[in-house]
Amino acid sequence: MQTTTTSAGETAALGRTLARQLKPGDVVALSGQLGSGKTCFVQGVCEALGVRTHVGSPTFTLINEYPAPFGTVVHIDLYRISSMRELAALGIQEYFTERCICLVEWPELAGPLLPPGHVTVGFRHGGGDTERVITIDGGRQ
Amino acid sequence: MRILGIETSCDETSAAVVRDGHVISNIISSQLVHSLYGGVVPELASRAHQRLIVQVVQAALERAGTDRSGIDAVAATYGPGLAGALLVGLNFAKALAFGLGVPFVGVNHMEGHLYSNFLGEQGPRYPFLSLIVSGGHTMLVHVEAPFRHRLLGQTRDDAAGEAFDKVAKMLGLGYPGGPAIDRLAKEGNASAVPFPRSFLEPGSLDFSFSGIKTSVLYYLRDRGVQPGGSAAGALTTTETADICASFQQAVVDVLVGKTMTAAGRCHVRDITLAGGVSANSALRSALQAAAGEQGIRFFSPRMEFCMDNGAMIAYVGWMRRAAGAASPMDLPAIPNLELA
């Protein structure tokens, strides 16, 4: 499914729409370059999943955990990971359980660690400075 | 009273000893001589803490001229941070306190930064306003009295330090890029590129830095520069310096503007700057000048207390112990701990 959004608000709304189809245990890979709308989208997803705490960027902390009514939303950002060794040391697999919904930014760096059946959301800059082209694929059937 | 403080919330493994409110040692892993540990201390530590913690604590005790038996309490960061990283320092601190039969004190990492300006010769007076800016945080806090604080605003997306690092990467300046931008900006023209200042809705003390990051990206794209890769090669040194200066000015304008608005609202006489980005020279001088104009005193920590460090954790541990407080041994690591 491909959608073009024209504002940060629309990008967050698309995140809320996806969130309504997510179940505990799901992993969402968010792929796209800097400034392509990933954080906005994640904020929409978290809002719809019932997260009430502050949702920021985990670039520095690598992993942010947000409590939600169903369990925990785990927001992972692999931007700073530079080797398989660092990735292995981070232990992201430990979060892929039925108690968590994981949102993974820069998933290309996770390689084979992402579980099969994960949802892939692709972001790219569209025409003008406000358009974002967002594609959503995959998921557990 | 001697307090050992341990910090492992993110990349740095650090330990320090504070005696009666004065820092007598402060060891930070990234500042250790690499050869001492037979290799480079990795930039990304998450679980390297396990390898470093014993040596770092030992070095902090030695530097302080004491050994374990001279420690009256052990303090450690229990949040916010990366769960796996926090657990290393927290469990080490609990075990050490248990073994020594002394109290254990859990410390909120953000409180460490909040009180880091007391680690110098002269600290601020209460009530004061604190701007905490780092790779992971951007927040304005009104500190009315010890441990009585109010969060006035924080970033809604990227932290200020993160914007610096990401722009540096786009310009091919490496990671972390804050110091590189600071250095290049000194040679550049801060009004060369009119990057946007995001002040959000009128009156808001929250921050947003993802917009300016995207603006730099579009600026590079429109000039046919591929962000990241060899961006530095495609731009002249002057162009790169101008982009750095203009970007930095936009971020500093917002940080200083919001801080002064908050200072006016809270009627404080003292402002403190804390966190890794407080090392930025443009931010320091702009905030100092703006505060000076209002007759407000300005404080910023020494470099070793800007970055994540054990001294600020030991100091808060000392404040808690001085008030007779201790933490239960079942205190968990809380990755998303907020400032109460």
Side-chain angles (χ1 to χ4, degrees):
Chain A
M1 186 190 80
Q2 178 167 313
T3 311
T4 300
T5 63
T6 58
S7 70
E10 282 181 34
T11 301
L14 190 62
R16 289 197 292 274
T17 304
L18 173 68
R20 287 185 207 108
Q21 295 161 38
L22 293 176
K23 299 177 298 293
D26 281 347
V27 173
V28 183
L30 305 144
S31 228
Q33 67 173 158
L34 288 174
S36 60
K38 298 187 293 293
T39 302
C40 245
F41 187 88
V42 165
Q43 287 176 337
V45 171
C46 287
E47 187 193 331
L49 290 176
V51 171
R52 293 291 167 261
T53 55
H54 178 67
V55 175
S57 165
T59 295
F60 186 70
T61 50
L62 303 169
I63 300 174
N64 285 352
E65 299 178 29
Y66 314 120
F70 72 88
T72 306
V73 179
V74 183
H75 187 188
I76 300 170
D77 187 336
L78 303 177
Y79 180 78
R80 297 202 297 138
I81 298 287
S82 57
S83 69
M84 279 310 286
R85 201 167 136 243
E86 283 184 350
L87 181 67
L90 191 59
I92 58 171
Q93 316 88 297
E94 290 165 25
Y95 292 96
F96 301 153
T97 74
E98 295 298 318
R99 293 224 0 101
C100 300
I101 290 178
C102 294
L103 312 173
V104 186
E105 298 196 35
W106 302 94
E108 299 78 10
L109 300 159
L113 292 189
L114 291 184
H118 65 267
V119 179
T120 300
V121 186
F123 298 80
R124 57 187 172 83
H125 294 272
D129 285 357
T130 54
E131 271 188 28
R132 299 290 185 272
V133 181
I134 302 170
T135 54
I136 303 179
D137 295 297
R140 293 190 292 194
Q141 298 307 315
Chain B
M1 183 164 55
R2 285 200 193 94
I3 312 289
L4 173 68
I6 295 173
E7 154 67 33
T8 62
S9 66
C10 195
D11 291 349
E12 298 288 2
T13 312
S14 181
V17 177
V18 160
R19 184 178 57 208
D20 300 328
H22 299 282
V23 182
I24 49 176
S25 70
N26 185 36
I27 304 292
I28 301 172
S29 59
S30 66
Q31 295 189 328
L32 287 176
V33 181
H34 293 166
S35 59
L36 192 61
Y37 298 100
V40 176
V41 177
E43 172 201 311
L44 190 79
S46 59
R47 289 182 191 181
H49 296 301
Q50 291 176 136
R51 285 196 297 114
L52 295 168
I53 186 102
V54 173
Q55 290 146 312
V56 167
V57 167
Q58 223 148 26
L61 292 172
E62 273 166 31
R63 189 75 60 84
T66 183
D67 60 16
R68 278 165 289 174
S69 62
I71 294 302
D72 300 295
V74 185
T77 306
Y78 72 104
L82 185 63
L86 287 166
L87 282 170
V88 176
L90 183 66
N91 285 339
F92 186 93
K94 284 181 185 175
L96 186 57
F98 181 75
L100 292 172
V102 299
F104 155 73
V105 188
V107 173
N108 181 325
H109 178 81
M110 301 316 295
E111 288 184 352
H113 282 303
L114 212 45
Y115 297 101
S116 63
N117 275 284
F118 288 101
L119 299 173
E121 287 70 42
Q122 200 203 1
R125 276 193 304 260
Y126 297 96
F128 63 88
L129 175 73
S130 189
L131 172 66
I132 304 177
V133 268
S134 68
H137 304 276
T138 305
M139 48 176 72
L140 271 169
V141 185
H142 184 205
V143 185
E144 294 160 42
F147 303 116
R148 261 195 34 217
H149 14 78
R150 204 154 46 90
L151 180 63
L152 302 174
Q154 65 183 324
T155 185
R156 292 183 188 170
D157 38 62
D158 297 357
E162 179 182 342
F164 269 87
D165 287 335
K166 287 188 169 165
V167 166
K169 191 161 180 180
M170 285 181 216
L171 292 170
L173 302 176
Y175 186 99
I181 289 186
D182 192 2
R183 195 173 58 247
L184 280 165
K186 289 193 173 80
E187 316 294 324
N189 173 6
S191 25
V193 189
F195 289 124
R197 275 82 170 144
S198 172
F199 284 94
L200 299 170
E201 59 280 2
S204 171
L205 292 176
D206 280 345
F207 299 91
S208 169
F209 292 109
S210 72
I212 186 166
K213 172 189 71 186
T214 310
S215 298
V216 176
L217 184 81
Y218 286 153
Y219 179 80
L220 293 174
R221 185 193 64 187
D222 294 347
R223 296 176 59 87
V225 177
Q226 177 66 41
S230 56
L235 294 165
T236 66
T237 312
T238 312
E239 284 173 320
T240 306
D242 284 351
I243 294 169
C244 287
S246 301
F247 159 76
Q248 177 173 273
Q249 192 61 50
V251 173
V252 167
D253 282 353
V254 173
L255 290 172
V256 172
K258 299 244 177 195
T259 304
M260 296 317 294
T261 301
R265 261 188 230 169
C266 300
H267 306 290
V268 293
R269 306 311 306 161
D270 287 4
I271 290 176
T272 69
L273 182 61
V277 182
S278 57
N280 181 274
S281 62
L283 177 60
R284 276 190 190 219
S285 55
L287 202 49
Q288 175 139 40
E293 275 172 30
Q294 307 288 323
I296 293 173
R297 298 195 306 166
F298 171 73
F299 299 83
S300 57
R302 284 217 315 266
M303 204 64 83
E304 65 175 310
F305 305 137
C306 289
M307 59 204 303
D308 290 349
N309 66 87
M312 65 184 194
I313 303 306
Y315 185 85
V316 174
W318 171 76
M319 288 171 74
R320 294 278 189 203
R321 283 306 299 147
S327 303
M329 280 292 187
D330 61 357
L331 182 74
I334 306 182
N336 63 334
L337 182 65
E338 297 195 337
L339 201 54

